[in-house]
Amino acid sequence: MSTGQEKKGAGGGSFYLENSLFDRIRSKYEELAEKYIAEKDYKKAAQVYMNLLQDHYRGAKTLEDGGFYNEAAVVYLKKLKTNRTLQPATKKPNSIKKP
């Protein structure tokens, strides 16, 4: 005869298995995004972050890092509800050549 504790234990095991599977999938998506960044394919990396990992901040930051300021601004405004000012990186004062 089964007891309520045995059923409860079995359910807990499947919960752990689901979390483990979720962690592995998440890890694979993280690796994929990092691979795209290494290949300088910032738009694909941002899609992985936003669509597969549901991390809009990292998606916007990746677009910003890749120079896609308009696309990043849209994500910041519409998904993150923040009014962040984005500006392209400028040359450092020491790197400007004087005539």
Side-chain angles (χ1 to χ4, degrees), residues 1-27:
M1 183 172 188
S2 292
T3 65
Q5 288 180 332
E6 290 172 2
K7 287 183 180 180
K8 189 183 251 184
S14 68
F15 177 74
Y16 176 76
L17 180 63
E18 289 171 11
N19 281 343
S20 176
L21 179 60
F22 176 77
D23 290 340
R24 286 195 316 233
I25 292 170
R26 183 173 189 79
S27 178

PDB file of all heavy atoms in Angstrom, residues 1-27:
ATOM      1  N   MET A   1       0.832  -1.175   0.000  1.00  0.00           N
ATOM      2  CA  MET A   1       0.000   0.000   0.000  1.00  0.00           C
ATOM      3  C   MET A   1       0.886   1.251   0.000  1.00  0.00           C
ATOM      4  O   MET A   1       1.829   1.359   0.749  1.00  0.00           O
ATOM      5  CB  MET A   1      -0.887  -0.032   1.231  1.00  0.00           C
ATOM      6  CG  MET A   1      -1.847   1.097   1.289  1.00  0.00           C
ATOM      7  SD  MET A   1      -2.981   0.766   2.668  1.00  0.00           S
ATOM      8  CE  MET A   1      -4.082   2.045   2.373  1.00  0.00           C
ATOM      9  N   SER A   2       0.574   2.205  -0.848  1.00  0.00           N
ATOM     10  CA  SER A   2       1.363   3.425  -0.960  1.00  0.00           C
ATOM     11  C   SER A   2       0.955   4.427   0.095  1.00  0.00           C
ATOM     12  O   SER A   2      -0.201   4.499   0.498  1.00  0.00           O
ATOM     13  CB  SER A   2       1.139   4.080  -2.330  1.00  0.00           C
ATOM     14  OG  SER A   2       1.675   3.290  -3.332  1.00  0.00           O
ATOM     15  N   THR A   3       1.926   5.217   0.505  1.00  0.00           N
ATOM     16  CA  THR A   3       1.638   6.298   1.441  1.00  0.00           C
ATOM     17  C   THR A   3       1.739   7.617   0.705  1.00  0.00           C
ATOM     18  O   THR A   3       2.340   7.714  -0.361  1.00  0.00           O
ATOM     19  CB  THR A   3       2.640   6.300   2.615  1.00  0.00           C
ATOM     20  OG1 THR A   3       3.930   6.588   2.102  1.00  0.00           O
ATOM     21  CG2 THR A   3       2.622   4.991   3.365  1.00  0.00           C
ATOM     22  N   GLY A   4       1.175   8.637   1.288  1.00  0.00           N
ATOM     23  CA  GLY A   4       1.233   9.971   0.683  1.00  0.00           C
ATOM     24  C   GLY A   4       2.653  10.474   0.543  1.00  0.00           C
ATOM     25  O   GLY A   4       2.973  11.200  -0.382  1.00  0.00           O
ATOM     26  N   GLN A   5       3.549  10.035   1.431  1.00  0.00           N
ATOM     27  CA  GLN A   5       4.935  10.492   1.380  1.00  0.00           C
ATOM     28  C   GLN A   5       5.636   9.971   0.136  1.00  0.00           C
ATOM     29  O   GLN A   5       6.442  10.659  -0.457  1.00  0.00           O
ATOM     30  CB  GLN A   5       5.679  10.052   2.629  1.00  0.00           C
ATOM     31  CG  GLN A   5       5.264  10.831   3.862  1.00  0.00           C
ATOM     32  CD  GLN A   5       6.022  10.363   5.087  1.00  0.00           C
ATOM     33  OE1 GLN A   5       6.446   9.217   5.168  1.00  0.00           O
ATOM     34  NE2 GLN A   5       6.175  11.252   6.045  1.00  0.00           N
ATOM     35  N   GLU A   6       5.345   8.749  -0.262  1.00  0.00           N
ATOM     36  CA  GLU A   6       5.994   8.192  -1.446  1.00  0.00           C
ATOM     37  C   GLU A   6       5.606   8.979  -2.689  1.00  0.00           C
ATOM     38  O   GLU A   6       6.439   9.282  -3.528  1.00  0.00           O
ATOM     39  CB  GLU A   6       5.625   6.718  -1.603  1.00  0.00           C
ATOM     40  CG  GLU A   6       6.261   5.845  -0.545  1.00  0.00           C
ATOM     41  CD  GLU A   6       5.739   4.422  -0.591  1.00  0.00           C
ATOM     42  OE1 GLU A   6       4.925   4.112  -1.469  1.00  0.00           O
ATOM     43  OE2 GLU A   6       6.147   3.647   0.267  1.00  0.00           O
ATOM     44  N   LYS A   7       4.339   9.325  -2.807  1.00  0.00           N
ATOM     45  CA  LYS A   7       3.900  10.111  -3.952  1.00  0.00           C
ATOM     46  C   LYS A   7       4.548  11.490  -3.947  1.00  0.00           C
ATOM     47  O   LYS A   7       4.977  11.996  -4.957  1.00  0.00           O
ATOM     48  CB  LYS A   7       2.376  10.254  -3.941  1.00  0.00           C
ATOM     49  CG  LYS A   7       1.659   8.993  -4.318  1.00  0.00           C
ATOM     50  CD  LYS A   7       0.166   9.231  -4.348  1.00  0.00           C
ATOM     51  CE  LYS A   7      -0.559   7.955  -4.724  1.00  0.00           C
ATOM     52  NZ  LYS A   7      -2.003   8.146  -4.765  1.00  0.00           N
ATOM     53  N   LYS A   8       4.609  12.065  -2.773  1.00  0.00           N
ATOM     54  CA  LYS A   8       5.210  13.401  -2.656  1.00  0.00           C
ATOM     55  C   LYS A   8       6.676  13.357  -3.082  1.00  0.00           C
ATOM     56  O   LYS A   8       7.150  14.214  -3.809  1.00  0.00           O
ATOM     57  CB  LYS A   8       5.098  13.904  -1.213  1.00  0.00           C
ATOM     58  CG  LYS A   8       5.486  15.349  -1.033  1.00  0.00           C
ATOM     59  CD  LYS A   8       5.410  15.750   0.412  1.00  0.00           C
ATOM     60  CE  LYS A   8       4.243  16.673   0.639  1.00  0.00           C
ATOM     61  NZ  LYS A   8       4.185  17.171   2.015  1.00  0.00           N
ATOM     62  N   GLY A   9       7.395  12.318  -2.692  1.00  0.00           N
ATOM     63  CA  GLY A   9       8.808  12.183  -3.047  1.00  0.00           C
ATOM     64  C   GLY A   9       8.995  12.028  -4.541  1.00  0.00           C
ATOM     65  O   GLY A   9       9.899  12.590  -5.132  1.00  0.00           O
ATOM     66  N   ALA A  10       8.121  11.274  -5.182  1.00  0.00           N
ATOM     67  CA  ALA A  10       8.237  11.068  -6.623  1.00  0.00           C
ATOM     68  C   ALA A  10       8.027  12.375  -7.371  1.00  0.00           C
ATOM     69  O   ALA A  10       8.708  12.665  -8.339  1.00  0.00           O
ATOM     70  CB  ALA A  10       7.226  10.016  -7.084  1.00  0.00           C
ATOM     71  N   GLY A  11       7.074  13.186  -6.921  1.00  0.00           N
ATOM     72  CA  GLY A  11       6.820  14.466  -7.567  1.00  0.00           C
ATOM     73  C   GLY A  11       7.999  15.407  -7.430  1.00  0.00           C
ATOM     74  O   GLY A  11       8.334  16.129  -8.339  1.00  0.00           O
ATOM     75  N   GLY A  12       8.644  15.373  -6.282  1.00  0.00           N
ATOM     76  CA  GLY A  12       9.815  16.223  -6.060  1.00  0.00           C
ATOM     77  C   GLY A  12      10.957  15.851  -6.974  1.00  0.00           C
ATOM     78  O   GLY A  12      11.701  16.694  -7.442  1.00  0.00           O
ATOM     79  N   GLY A  13      11.093  14.565  -7.274  1.00  0.00           N
ATOM     80  CA  GLY A  13      12.159  14.124  -8.167  1.00  0.00           C
ATOM     81  C   GLY A  13      11.972  14.635  -9.581  1.00  0.00           C
ATOM     82  O   GLY A  13      12.914  15.055 -10.239  1.00  0.00           O
ATOM     83  N   SER A  14      10.744  14.621 -10.075  1.00  0.00           N
ATOM     84  CA  SER A  14      10.509  15.113 -11.429  1.00  0.00           C
ATOM     85  C   SER A  14      10.700  16.624 -11.484  1.00  0.00           C
ATOM     86  O   SER A  14      11.136  17.157 -12.489  1.00  0.00           O
ATOM     87  CB  SER A  14       9.120  14.714 -11.930  1.00  0.00           C
ATOM     88  OG  SER A  14       8.116  15.388 -11.213  1.00  0.00           O
ATOM     89  N   PHE A  15      10.389  17.318 -10.401  1.00  0.00           N
ATOM     90  CA  PHE A  15      10.615  18.755 -10.358  1.00  0.00           C
ATOM     91  C   PHE A  15      12.108  19.053 -10.494  1.00  0.00           C
ATOM     92  O   PHE A  15      12.509  19.925 -11.245  1.00  0.00           O
ATOM     93  CB  PHE A  15      10.071  19.338  -9.049  1.00  0.00           C
ATOM     94  CG  PHE A  15      10.329  20.810  -8.910  1.00  0.00           C
ATOM     95  CD1 PHE A  15       9.606  21.727  -9.648  1.00  0.00           C
ATOM     96  CD2 PHE A  15      11.310  21.278  -8.049  1.00  0.00           C
ATOM     97  CE1 PHE A  15       9.841  23.082  -9.530  1.00  0.00           C
ATOM     98  CE2 PHE A  15      11.558  22.633  -7.925  1.00  0.00           C
ATOM     99  CZ  PHE A  15      10.817  23.538  -8.668  1.00  0.00           C
ATOM    100  N   TYR A  16      12.929  18.278  -9.786  1.00  0.00           N
ATOM    101  CA  TYR A  16      14.380  18.462  -9.878  1.00  0.00           C
ATOM    102  C   TYR A  16      14.858  18.172 -11.287  1.00  0.00           C
ATOM    103  O   TYR A  16      15.673  18.897 -11.835  1.00  0.00           O
ATOM    104  CB  TYR A  16      15.098  17.560  -8.872  1.00  0.00           C
ATOM    105  CG  TYR A  16      16.599  17.635  -8.991  1.00  0.00           C
ATOM    106  CD1 TYR A  16      17.294  18.734  -8.506  1.00  0.00           C
ATOM    107  CD2 TYR A  16      17.318  16.642  -9.638  1.00  0.00           C
ATOM    108  CE1 TYR A  16      18.667  18.842  -8.636  1.00  0.00           C
ATOM    109  CE2 TYR A  16      18.689  16.733  -9.783  1.00  0.00           C
ATOM    110  CZ  TYR A  16      19.361  17.830  -9.279  1.00  0.00           C
ATOM    111  OH  TYR A  16      20.707  17.930  -9.425  1.00  0.00           O
ATOM    112  N   LEU A  17      14.337  17.118 -11.902  1.00  0.00           N
ATOM    113  CA  LEU A  17      14.722  16.751 -13.261  1.00  0.00           C
ATOM    114  C   LEU A  17      14.360  17.860 -14.230  1.00  0.00           C
ATOM    115  O   LEU A  17      15.157  18.229 -15.089  1.00  0.00           O
ATOM    116  CB  LEU A  17      14.044  15.440 -13.668  1.00  0.00           C
ATOM    117  CG  LEU A  17      14.357  14.936 -15.070  1.00  0.00           C
ATOM    118  CD1 LEU A  17      15.842  14.615 -15.188  1.00  0.00           C
ATOM    119  CD2 LEU A  17      13.536  13.696 -15.375  1.00  0.00           C
ATOM    120  N   GLU A  18      13.170  18.436 -14.078  1.00  0.00           N
ATOM    121  CA  GLU A  18      12.755  19.527 -14.954  1.00  0.00           C
ATOM    122  C   GLU A  18      13.669  20.733 -14.789  1.00  0.00           C
ATOM    123  O   GLU A  18      14.045  21.366 -15.758  1.00  0.00           O
ATOM    124  CB  GLU A  18      11.312  19.916 -14.664  1.00  0.00           C
ATOM    125  CG  GLU A  18      10.308  18.876 -15.124  1.00  0.00           C
ATOM    126  CD  GLU A  18       8.903  19.160 -14.648  1.00  0.00           C
ATOM    127  OE1 GLU A  18       8.651  20.269 -14.143  1.00  0.00           O
ATOM    128  OE2 GLU A  18       8.062  18.257 -14.772  1.00  0.00           O
ATOM    129  N   ASN A  19      14.045  21.056 -13.554  1.00  0.00           N
ATOM    130  CA  ASN A  19      14.959  22.175 -13.324  1.00  0.00           C
ATOM    131  C   ASN A  19      16.315  21.900 -13.948  1.00  0.00           C
ATOM    132  O   ASN A  19      16.929  22.788 -14.532  1.00  0.00           O
ATOM    133  CB  ASN A  19      15.119  22.452 -11.832  1.00  0.00           C
ATOM    134  CG  ASN A  19      13.949  23.233 -11.277  1.00  0.00           C
ATOM    135  OD1 ASN A  19      13.195  23.827 -12.029  1.00  0.00           O
ATOM    136  ND2 ASN A  19      13.806  23.213  -9.976  1.00  0.00           N
ATOM    137  N   SER A  20      16.787  20.680 -13.824  1.00  0.00           N
ATOM    138  CA  SER A  20      18.077  20.323 -14.393  1.00  0.00           C
ATOM    139  C   SER A  20      18.051  20.458 -15.916  1.00  0.00           C
ATOM    140  O   SER A  20      18.986  20.988 -16.516  1.00  0.00           O
ATOM    141  CB  SER A  20      18.439  18.892 -13.992  1.00  0.00           C
ATOM    142  OG  SER A  20      19.622  18.489 -14.603  1.00  0.00           O
ATOM    143  N   LEU A  21      16.997  19.985 -16.538  1.00  0.00           N
ATOM    144  CA  LEU A  21      16.855  20.093 -17.985  1.00  0.00           C
ATOM    145  C   LEU A  21      16.779  21.556 -18.395  1.00  0.00           C
ATOM    146  O   LEU A  21      17.430  21.979 -19.356  1.00  0.00           O
ATOM    147  CB  LEU A  21      15.605  19.329 -18.445  1.00  0.00           C
ATOM    148  CG  LEU A  21      15.304  19.362 -19.932  1.00  0.00           C
ATOM    149  CD1 LEU A  21      16.460  18.754 -20.725  1.00  0.00           C
ATOM    150  CD2 LEU A  21      14.008  18.616 -20.224  1.00  0.00           C
ATOM    151  N   PHE A  22      16.015  22.338 -17.666  1.00  0.00           N
ATOM    152  CA  PHE A  22      15.905  23.762 -17.935  1.00  0.00           C
ATOM    153  C   PHE A  22      17.274  24.441 -17.861  1.00  0.00           C
ATOM    154  O   PHE A  22      17.629  25.247 -18.709  1.00  0.00           O
ATOM    155  CB  PHE A  22      14.937  24.411 -16.943  1.00  0.00           C
ATOM    156  CG  PHE A  22      14.831  25.898 -17.086  1.00  0.00           C
ATOM    157  CD1 PHE A  22      14.092  26.468 -18.104  1.00  0.00           C
ATOM    158  CD2 PHE A  22      15.492  26.731 -16.194  1.00  0.00           C
ATOM    159  CE1 PHE A  22      14.002  27.841 -18.234  1.00  0.00           C
ATOM    160  CE2 PHE A  22      15.407  28.105 -16.309  1.00  0.00           C
ATOM    161  CZ  PHE A  22      14.655  28.660 -17.337  1.00  0.00           C
ATOM    162  N   ASP A  23      18.054  24.109 -16.842  1.00  0.00           N
ATOM    163  CA  ASP A  23      19.384  24.691 -16.674  1.00  0.00           C
ATOM    164  C   ASP A  23      20.298  24.327 -17.836  1.00  0.00           C
ATOM    165  O   ASP A  23      21.077  25.160 -18.307  1.00  0.00           O
ATOM    166  CB  ASP A  23      20.018  24.247 -15.358  1.00  0.00           C
ATOM    167  CG  ASP A  23      19.339  24.868 -14.149  1.00  0.00           C
ATOM    168  OD1 ASP A  23      18.647  25.905 -14.306  1.00  0.00           O
ATOM    169  OD2 ASP A  23      19.485  24.310 -13.043  1.00  0.00           O
ATOM    170  N   ARG A  24      20.207  23.099 -18.298  1.00  0.00           N
ATOM    171  CA  ARG A  24      21.042  22.678 -19.436  1.00  0.00           C
ATOM    172  C   ARG A  24      20.658  23.415 -20.707  1.00  0.00           C
ATOM    173  O   ARG A  24      21.529  23.858 -21.455  1.00  0.00           O
ATOM    174  CB  ARG A  24      20.938  21.173 -19.647  1.00  0.00           C
ATOM    175  CG  ARG A  24      21.679  20.365 -18.606  1.00  0.00           C
ATOM    176  CD  ARG A  24      21.870  18.934 -19.025  1.00  0.00           C
ATOM    177  NE  ARG A  24      20.658  18.367 -19.605  1.00  0.00           N
ATOM    178  CZ  ARG A  24      20.078  17.260 -19.219  1.00  0.00           C
ATOM    179  NH1 ARG A  24      20.590  16.564 -18.235  1.00  0.00           N
ATOM    180  NH2 ARG A  24      18.990  16.812 -19.805  1.00  0.00           N
ATOM    181  N   ILE A  25      19.371  23.557 -20.952  1.00  0.00           N
ATOM    182  CA  ILE A  25      18.916  24.276 -22.144  1.00  0.00           C
ATOM    183  C   ILE A  25      19.336  25.735 -22.058  1.00  0.00           C
ATOM    184  O   ILE A  25      19.856  26.304 -23.022  1.00  0.00           O
ATOM    185  CB  ILE A  25      17.391  24.149 -22.306  1.00  0.00           C
ATOM    186  CG1 ILE A  25      17.026  22.701 -22.644  1.00  0.00           C
ATOM    187  CG2 ILE A  25      16.869  25.097 -23.375  1.00  0.00           C
ATOM    188  CD1 ILE A  25      15.553  22.405 -22.592  1.00  0.00           C
ATOM    189  N   ARG A  26      19.136  26.340 -20.889  1.00  0.00           N
ATOM    190  CA  ARG A  26      19.537  27.737 -20.694  1.00  0.00           C
ATOM    191  C   ARG A  26      21.032  27.919 -20.937  1.00  0.00           C
ATOM    192  O   ARG A  26      21.463  28.865 -21.581  1.00  0.00           O
ATOM    193  CB  ARG A  26      19.159  28.182 -19.277  1.00  0.00           C
ATOM    194  CG  ARG A  26      19.469  29.624 -18.997  1.00  0.00           C
ATOM    195  CD  ARG A  26      18.908  30.028 -17.630  1.00  0.00           C
ATOM    196  NE  ARG A  26      19.002  31.444 -17.442  1.00  0.00           N
ATOM    197  CZ  ARG A  26      18.180  32.351 -17.961  1.00  0.00           C
ATOM    198  NH1 ARG A  26      17.183  31.980 -18.703  1.00  0.00           N
ATOM    199  NH2 ARG A  26      18.363  33.636 -17.739  1.00  0.00           N
ATOM    200  N   SER A  27      21.830  26.980 -20.456  1.00  0.00           N
ATOM    201  CA  SER A  27      23.271  27.026 -20.639  1.00  0.00           C
ATOM    202  C   SER A  27      23.635  26.962 -22.127  1.00  0.00           C
ATOM    203  O   SER A  27      24.525  27.679 -22.597  1.00  0.00           O
ATOM    204  CB  SER A  27      23.925  25.886 -19.871  1.00  0.00           C
ATOM    205  OG  SER A  27      25.306  25.882 -20.076  1.00  0.00           O
TER     206      SER A  27
END
